[in-house]
PDB file of all heavy atoms in Angstrom:
ATOM      1  N   MET A 240       1.076  -2.160   5.915  1.00  0.00           N
ATOM      2  CA  MET A 240       2.263  -1.825   6.830  1.00  0.00           C
ATOM      3  C   MET A 240       3.331  -1.277   6.011  1.00  0.00           C
ATOM      4  O   MET A 240       3.990  -0.369   6.564  1.00  0.00           O
ATOM      5  CB  MET A 240       2.600  -3.103   7.612  1.00  0.00           C
ATOM      6  CG  MET A 240       3.625  -2.908   8.600  1.00  0.00           C
ATOM      7  SD  MET A 240       3.036  -2.279  10.150  1.00  0.00           S
ATOM      8  CE  MET A 240       2.463  -3.895  10.903  1.00  0.00           C
ATOM      9  N   LEU A 241       3.638  -1.782   4.939  1.00  0.00           N
ATOM     10  CA  LEU A 241       4.765  -1.202   4.113  1.00  0.00           C
ATOM     11  C   LEU A 241       4.513   0.188   3.769  1.00  0.00           C
ATOM     12  O   LEU A 241       5.412   0.916   3.937  1.00  0.00           O
ATOM     13  CB  LEU A 241       4.870  -2.165   2.791  1.00  0.00           C
ATOM     14  CG  LEU A 241       5.274  -3.575   2.909  1.00  0.00           C
ATOM     15  CD1 LEU A 241       5.256  -4.307   1.634  1.00  0.00           C
ATOM     16  CD2 LEU A 241       6.817  -3.587   3.552  1.00  0.00           C
ATOM     17  N   PHE A 242       3.318   0.530   3.372  1.00  0.00           N
ATOM     18  CA  PHE A 242       3.030   1.927   2.922  1.00  0.00           C
ATOM     19  C   PHE A 242       3.165   2.807   4.232  1.00  0.00           C
ATOM     20  O   PHE A 242       3.728   3.782   4.234  1.00  0.00           O
ATOM     21  CB  PHE A 242       1.557   1.955   2.392  1.00  0.00           C
ATOM     22  CG  PHE A 242       1.595   1.513   0.966  1.00  0.00           C
ATOM     23  CD1 PHE A 242       0.254   1.365   0.414  1.00  0.00           C
ATOM     24  CD2 PHE A 242       2.559   0.998   0.348  1.00  0.00           C
ATOM     25  CE1 PHE A 242       0.140   0.850  -0.836  1.00  0.00           C
ATOM     26  CE2 PHE A 242       2.505   0.577  -1.010  1.00  0.00           C
ATOM     27  CZ  PHE A 242       1.287   0.416  -1.515  1.00  0.00           C
ATOM     28  N   ALA A 243       2.556   2.416   5.374  1.00  0.00           N
ATOM     29  CA  ALA A 243       2.535   3.201   6.544  1.00  0.00           C
ATOM     30  C   ALA A 243       3.805   3.543   7.125  1.00  0.00           C
ATOM     31  O   ALA A 243       4.238   4.607   7.457  1.00  0.00           O
ATOM     32  CB  ALA A 243       1.615   2.569   7.632  1.00  0.00           C
ATOM     33  N   ARG A 244       4.682   2.475   7.155  1.00  0.00           N
ATOM     34  CA  ARG A 244       6.126   2.637   7.672  1.00  0.00           C
ATOM     35  C   ARG A 244       6.903   3.611   6.787  1.00  0.00           C
ATOM     36  O   ARG A 244       7.708   4.381   7.338  1.00  0.00           O
ATOM     37  CB  ARG A 244       6.719   1.255   7.838  1.00  0.00           C
ATOM     38  CG  ARG A 244       6.093   0.401   8.980  1.00  0.00           C
ATOM     39  CD  ARG A 244       6.724  -0.902   9.136  1.00  0.00           C
ATOM     40  NE  ARG A 244       8.141  -0.784   9.629  1.00  0.00           N
ATOM     41  CZ  ARG A 244       8.843  -1.695  10.082  1.00  0.00           C
ATOM     42  NH1 ARG A 244       8.438  -2.992   9.943  1.00  0.00           N
ATOM     43  NH2 ARG A 244      10.046  -1.470  10.557  1.00  0.00           N
ATOM     44  N   ALA A 245       6.654   3.427   5.508  1.00  0.00           N
ATOM     45  CA  ALA A 245       7.511   4.266   4.484  1.00  0.00           C
ATOM     46  C   ALA A 245       7.010   5.772   4.610  1.00  0.00           C
ATOM     47  O   ALA A 245       7.853   6.631   4.605  1.00  0.00           O
ATOM     48  CB  ALA A 245       7.302   3.709   3.133  1.00  0.00           C
ATOM     49  N   ILE A 246       5.757   5.831   4.597  1.00  0.00           N
ATOM     50  CA  ILE A 246       5.270   7.314   4.747  1.00  0.00           C
ATOM     51  C   ILE A 246       5.679   7.875   5.988  1.00  0.00           C
ATOM     52  O   ILE A 246       6.132   9.132   6.009  1.00  0.00           O
ATOM     53  CB  ILE A 246       3.616   7.254   4.622  1.00  0.00           C
ATOM     54  CG1 ILE A 246       3.190   6.759   3.315  1.00  0.00           C
ATOM     55  CG2 ILE A 246       3.052   8.582   5.064  1.00  0.00           C
ATOM     56  CD1 ILE A 246       1.651   6.543   3.192  1.00  0.00           C
ATOM     57  N   LEU A 247       5.579   7.251   7.217  1.00  0.00           N
ATOM     58  CA  LEU A 247       6.138   7.755   8.429  1.00  0.00           C
ATOM     59  C   LEU A 247       7.549   8.092   8.374  1.00  0.00           C
ATOM     60  O   LEU A 247       8.036   9.133   9.010  1.00  0.00           O
ATOM     61  CB  LEU A 247       5.786   6.872   9.532  1.00  0.00           C
ATOM     62  CG  LEU A 247       4.304   6.681   9.953  1.00  0.00           C
ATOM     63  CD1 LEU A 247       3.960   5.703  10.928  1.00  0.00           C
ATOM     64  CD2 LEU A 247       3.653   8.093  10.430  1.00  0.00           C
ATOM     65  N   ALA A 248       8.393   7.310   7.687  1.00  0.00           N
ATOM     66  CA  ALA A 248       9.763   7.589   7.504  1.00  0.00           C
ATOM     67  C   ALA A 248      10.115   8.501   6.454  1.00  0.00           C
ATOM     68  O   ALA A 248      11.283   8.728   6.272  1.00  0.00           O
ATOM     69  CB  ALA A 248      10.495   6.233   7.313  1.00  0.00           C
ATOM     70  N   GLY A 249       9.164   8.940   5.691  1.00  0.00           N
ATOM     71  CA  GLY A 249       9.406   9.906   4.569  1.00  0.00           C
ATOM     72  C   GLY A 249      10.136   9.271   3.396  1.00  0.00           C
ATOM     73  O   GLY A 249      10.780   9.904   2.633  1.00  0.00           O
ATOM     74  N   GLU A 250       9.897   7.912   3.306  1.00  0.00           N
ATOM     75  CA  GLU A 250      10.532   6.999   2.253  1.00  0.00           C
ATOM     76  C   GLU A 250       9.578   6.808   1.180  1.00  0.00           C
ATOM     77  O   GLU A 250       8.255   6.713   1.440  1.00  0.00           O
ATOM     78  CB  GLU A 250      11.140   5.813   2.798  1.00  0.00           C
ATOM     79  CG  GLU A 250      12.185   5.957   3.890  1.00  0.00           C
ATOM     80  CD  GLU A 250      12.544   4.745   4.541  1.00  0.00           C
ATOM     81  OE1 GLU A 250      11.844   3.705   4.314  1.00  0.00           O
ATOM     82  OE2 GLU A 250      13.558   4.775   5.311  1.00  0.00           O
ATOM     83  N   PRO A 251       9.938   6.517   0.001  1.00  0.00           N
ATOM     84  CA  PRO A 251       9.022   6.286  -1.204  1.00  0.00           C
ATOM     85  C   PRO A 251       8.296   5.003  -0.900  1.00  0.00           C
ATOM     86  O   PRO A 251       8.860   3.956  -0.427  1.00  0.00           O
ATOM     87  CB  PRO A 251       9.841   6.263  -2.421  1.00  0.00           C
ATOM     88  CG  PRO A 251      11.300   6.012  -1.976  1.00  0.00           C
ATOM     89  CD  PRO A 251      11.378   6.547  -0.590  1.00  0.00           C
ATOM     90  N   ILE A 252       7.131   4.843  -1.489  1.00  0.00           N
ATOM     91  CA  ILE A 252       6.440   3.533  -1.463  1.00  0.00           C
ATOM     92  C   ILE A 252       6.241   3.045  -2.973  1.00  0.00           C
ATOM     93  O   ILE A 252       6.210   3.881  -3.859  1.00  0.00           O
ATOM     94  CB  ILE A 252       4.879   3.772  -0.939  1.00  0.00           C
ATOM     95  CG1 ILE A 252       4.051   4.748  -1.769  1.00  0.00           C
ATOM     96  CG2 ILE A 252       4.962   4.268   0.517  1.00  0.00           C
ATOM     97  CD1 ILE A 252       2.674   4.817  -1.280  1.00  0.00           C
ATOM     98  N   ARG A 253       6.382   1.688  -3.034  1.00  0.00           N
ATOM     99  CA  ARG A 253       6.292   1.081  -4.395  1.00  0.00           C
ATOM    100  C   ARG A 253       4.850   0.902  -4.704  1.00  0.00           C
ATOM    101  O   ARG A 253       4.088   0.165  -4.012  1.00  0.00           O
ATOM    102  CB  ARG A 253       7.160  -0.134  -4.366  1.00  0.00           C
ATOM    103  CG  ARG A 253       8.472  -0.048  -3.942  1.00  0.00           C
ATOM    104  CD  ARG A 253       9.165  -1.325  -3.813  1.00  0.00           C
ATOM    105  NE  ARG A 253       9.319  -2.097  -4.986  1.00  0.00           N
ATOM    106  CZ  ARG A 253       9.615  -3.437  -5.083  1.00  0.00           C
ATOM    107  NH1 ARG A 253       9.748  -4.066  -4.076  1.00  0.00           N
ATOM    108  NH2 ARG A 253       9.844  -3.918  -6.321  1.00  0.00           N
ATOM    109  N   VAL A 254       4.318   1.606  -5.882  1.00  0.00           N
ATOM    110  CA  VAL A 254       3.096   1.444  -6.261  1.00  0.00           C
ATOM    111  C   VAL A 254       3.080   0.753  -7.639  1.00  0.00           C
ATOM    112  O   VAL A 254       3.533   1.265  -8.678  1.00  0.00           O
ATOM    113  CB  VAL A 254       2.492   2.847  -6.440  1.00  0.00           C
ATOM    114  CG1 VAL A 254       0.968   2.714  -6.980  1.00  0.00           C
ATOM    115  CG2 VAL A 254       2.543   3.645  -5.187  1.00  0.00           C
ATOM    116  N   PHE A 255       2.524  -0.460  -7.636  1.00  0.00           N
ATOM    117  CA  PHE A 255       2.651  -1.364  -8.803  1.00  0.00           C
ATOM    118  C   PHE A 255       1.509  -1.020  -9.859  1.00  0.00           C
ATOM    119  O   PHE A 255       0.328  -0.650  -9.482  1.00  0.00           O
ATOM    120  CB  PHE A 255       2.631  -2.778  -8.422  1.00  0.00           C
ATOM    121  CG  PHE A 255       3.806  -3.243  -7.498  1.00  0.00           C
ATOM    122  CD1 PHE A 255       3.737  -3.505  -6.300  1.00  0.00           C
ATOM    123  CD2 PHE A 255       5.039  -3.219  -8.181  1.00  0.00           C
ATOM    124  CE1 PHE A 255       4.771  -3.804  -5.426  1.00  0.00           C
ATOM    125  CE2 PHE A 255       6.094  -3.521  -7.344  1.00  0.00           C
ATOM    126  CZ  PHE A 255       6.053  -3.903  -5.980  1.00  0.00           C
ATOM    127  N   ASN A 256       1.786  -1.293 -11.009  1.00  0.00           N
ATOM    128  CA  ASN A 256       0.840  -1.268 -12.088  1.00  0.00           C
ATOM    129  C   ASN A 256       0.267   0.187 -12.201  1.00  0.00           C
ATOM    130  O   ASN A 256      -0.987   0.376 -12.527  1.00  0.00           O
ATOM    131  CB  ASN A 256      -0.381  -2.296 -12.021  1.00  0.00           C
ATOM    132  CG  ASN A 256      -1.087  -2.438 -13.215  1.00  0.00           C
ATOM    133  OD1 ASN A 256      -0.549  -2.388 -14.446  1.00  0.00           O
ATOM    134  ND2 ASN A 256      -2.529  -2.611 -13.246  1.00  0.00           N
ATOM    135  N   GLY A 257       1.116   1.164 -11.905  1.00  0.00           N
ATOM    136  CA  GLY A 257       0.694   2.574 -11.920  1.00  0.00           C
ATOM    137  C   GLY A 257      -0.432   2.897 -10.964  1.00  0.00           C
ATOM    138  O   GLY A 257      -1.185   3.892 -11.162  1.00  0.00           O
ATOM    139  N   GLY A 258      -0.639   2.008 -10.016  1.00  0.00           N
ATOM    140  CA  GLY A 258      -1.740   2.222  -9.130  1.00  0.00           C
ATOM    141  C   GLY A 258      -3.095   1.774  -9.490  1.00  0.00           C
ATOM    142  O   GLY A 258      -4.104   1.850  -8.799  1.00  0.00           O
ATOM    143  N   GLN A 259      -3.144   1.133 -10.768  1.00  0.00           N
ATOM    144  CA  GLN A 259      -4.326   0.728 -11.335  1.00  0.00           C
ATOM    145  C   GLN A 259      -4.676  -0.662 -10.927  1.00  0.00           C
ATOM    146  O   GLN A 259      -4.911  -1.620 -11.682  1.00  0.00           O
ATOM    147  CB  GLN A 259      -4.244   0.839 -12.848  1.00  0.00           C
ATOM    148  CG  GLN A 259      -3.977   2.168 -13.314  1.00  0.00           C
ATOM    149  CD  GLN A 259      -4.887   3.259 -12.847  1.00  0.00           C
ATOM    150  OE1 GLN A 259      -6.060   3.236 -13.101  1.00  0.00           O
ATOM    151  NE2 GLN A 259      -4.388   4.361 -12.225  1.00  0.00           N
ATOM    152  N   MET A 260      -4.747  -0.836  -9.697  1.00  0.00           N
ATOM    153  CA  MET A 260      -5.110  -2.132  -8.971  1.00  0.00           C
ATOM    154  C   MET A 260      -6.315  -1.854  -8.079  1.00  0.00           C
ATOM    155  O   MET A 260      -6.423  -0.730  -7.461  1.00  0.00           O
ATOM    156  CB  MET A 260      -3.906  -2.726  -8.192  1.00  0.00           C
ATOM    157  CG  MET A 260      -2.622  -2.672  -8.809  1.00  0.00           C
ATOM    158  SD  MET A 260      -2.149  -4.117  -9.758  1.00  0.00           S
ATOM    159  CE  MET A 260      -1.636  -5.097  -8.390  1.00  0.00           C
ATOM    160  N   ARG A 261      -7.195  -2.837  -7.990  1.00  0.00           N
ATOM    161  CA  ARG A 261      -8.294  -2.757  -7.015  1.00  0.00           C
ATOM    162  C   ARG A 261      -8.350  -3.898  -6.155  1.00  0.00           C
ATOM    163  O   ARG A 261      -8.204  -4.953  -6.612  1.00  0.00           O
ATOM    164  CB  ARG A 261      -9.615  -2.655  -7.892  1.00  0.00           C
ATOM    165  CG  ARG A 261      -9.809  -1.354  -8.720  1.00  0.00           C
ATOM    166  CD  ARG A 261     -11.132  -1.305  -9.617  1.00  0.00           C
ATOM    167  NE  ARG A 261     -12.223  -1.274  -8.603  1.00  0.00           N
ATOM    168  CZ  ARG A 261     -12.674  -0.161  -8.201  1.00  0.00           C
ATOM    169  NH1 ARG A 261     -12.136   1.004  -8.427  1.00  0.00           N
ATOM    170  NH2 ARG A 261     -13.820  -0.125  -7.446  1.00  0.00           N
ATOM    171  N   ARG A 262      -8.531  -3.611  -4.784  1.00  0.00           N
ATOM    172  CA  ARG A 262      -8.496  -4.655  -3.796  1.00  0.00           C
ATOM    173  C   ARG A 262      -9.665  -4.571  -3.022  1.00  0.00           C
ATOM    174  O   ARG A 262     -10.159  -3.409  -2.621  1.00  0.00           O
ATOM    175  CB  ARG A 262      -7.198  -4.661  -2.934  1.00  0.00           C
ATOM    176  CG  ARG A 262      -5.967  -5.105  -3.724  1.00  0.00           C
ATOM    177  CD  ARG A 262      -5.951  -6.530  -4.012  1.00  0.00           C
ATOM    178  NE  ARG A 262      -4.727  -7.037  -4.749  1.00  0.00           N
ATOM    179  CZ  ARG A 262      -4.595  -7.002  -6.067  1.00  0.00           C
ATOM    180  NH1 ARG A 262      -5.491  -6.564  -6.847  1.00  0.00           N
ATOM    181  NH2 ARG A 262      -3.407  -7.350  -6.524  1.00  0.00           N
ATOM    182  N   ASP A 263     -10.142  -5.641  -2.548  1.00  0.00           N
ATOM    183  CA  ASP A 263     -11.343  -5.656  -1.453  1.00  0.00           C
ATOM    184  C   ASP A 263     -10.690  -5.783  -0.107  1.00  0.00           C
ATOM    185  O   ASP A 263     -10.679  -6.791   0.511  1.00  0.00           O
ATOM    186  CB  ASP A 263     -12.240  -6.993  -1.777  1.00  0.00           C
ATOM    187  CG  ASP A 263     -13.588  -6.790  -1.326  1.00  0.00           C
ATOM    188  OD1 ASP A 263     -13.867  -5.913  -0.504  1.00  0.00           O
ATOM    189  OD2 ASP A 263     -14.414  -7.434  -1.863  1.00  0.00           O
ATOM    190  N   PHE A 264     -10.245  -4.583   0.376  1.00  0.00           N
ATOM    191  CA  PHE A 264      -9.628  -4.481   1.671  1.00  0.00           C
ATOM    192  C   PHE A 264     -10.595  -4.751   2.724  1.00  0.00           C
ATOM    193  O   PHE A 264     -11.607  -4.250   2.871  1.00  0.00           O
ATOM    194  CB  PHE A 264      -9.009  -3.178   1.875  1.00  0.00           C
ATOM    195  CG  PHE A 264      -7.865  -2.810   0.985  1.00  0.00           C
ATOM    196  CD1 PHE A 264      -7.993  -2.001  -0.203  1.00  0.00           C
ATOM    197  CD2 PHE A 264      -6.604  -3.223   1.213  1.00  0.00           C
ATOM    198  CE1 PHE A 264      -6.976  -1.775  -0.968  1.00  0.00           C
ATOM    199  CE2 PHE A 264      -5.568  -3.005   0.403  1.00  0.00           C
ATOM    200  CZ  PHE A 264      -5.687  -2.213  -0.649  1.00  0.00           C
ATOM    201  N   THR A 265     -10.273  -5.756   3.668  1.00  0.00           N
ATOM    202  CA  THR A 265     -11.223  -6.253   4.619  1.00  0.00           C
ATOM    203  C   THR A 265     -10.569  -6.104   6.057  1.00  0.00           C
ATOM    204  O   THR A 265      -9.499  -6.557   6.275  1.00  0.00           O
ATOM    205  CB  THR A 265     -11.596  -7.737   4.412  1.00  0.00           C
ATOM    206  OG1 THR A 265     -11.898  -8.043   3.063  1.00  0.00           O
ATOM    207  CG2 THR A 265     -12.724  -8.220   5.370  1.00  0.00           C
ATOM    208  N   TYR A 266     -11.308  -5.433   6.896  1.00  0.00           N
ATOM    209  CA  TYR A 266     -10.869  -5.152   8.223  1.00  0.00           C
ATOM    210  C   TYR A 266     -10.689  -6.353   9.127  1.00  0.00           C
ATOM    211  O   TYR A 266     -11.642  -7.199   8.997  1.00  0.00           O
ATOM    212  CB  TYR A 266     -11.650  -4.023   8.888  1.00  0.00           C
ATOM    213  CG  TYR A 266     -11.085  -3.428  10.172  1.00  0.00           C
ATOM    214  CD1 TYR A 266      -9.826  -2.796  10.141  1.00  0.00           C
ATOM    215  CD2 TYR A 266     -11.729  -3.627  11.332  1.00  0.00           C
ATOM    216  CE1 TYR A 266      -9.217  -2.262  11.327  1.00  0.00           C
ATOM    217  CE2 TYR A 266     -11.150  -3.177  12.530  1.00  0.00           C
ATOM    218  CZ  TYR A 266      -9.968  -2.449  12.543  1.00  0.00           C
ATOM    219  OH  TYR A 266      -9.332  -1.926  13.663  1.00  0.00           O
ATOM    220  N   ILE A 267      -9.766  -6.428   9.889  1.00  0.00           N
ATOM    221  CA  ILE A 267      -9.417  -7.708  10.736  1.00  0.00           C
ATOM    222  C   ILE A 267     -10.680  -8.106  11.574  1.00  0.00           C
ATOM    223  O   ILE A 267     -11.032  -9.276  11.606  1.00  0.00           O
ATOM    224  CB  ILE A 267      -8.222  -7.493  11.526  1.00  0.00           C
ATOM    225  CG1 ILE A 267      -7.892  -8.850  12.465  1.00  0.00           C
ATOM    226  CG2 ILE A 267      -8.344  -6.340  12.455  1.00  0.00           C
ATOM    227  CD1 ILE A 267      -7.579  -9.967  11.451  1.00  0.00           C
TER     228      ILE A 267
END
């Protein structure tokens, strides 16, 4: 949600650890 709202508003998104993170994203 943080990323989507920022992208839609043209604002920067905070990407931690240089983006070198891996997550097991699981759909609701």
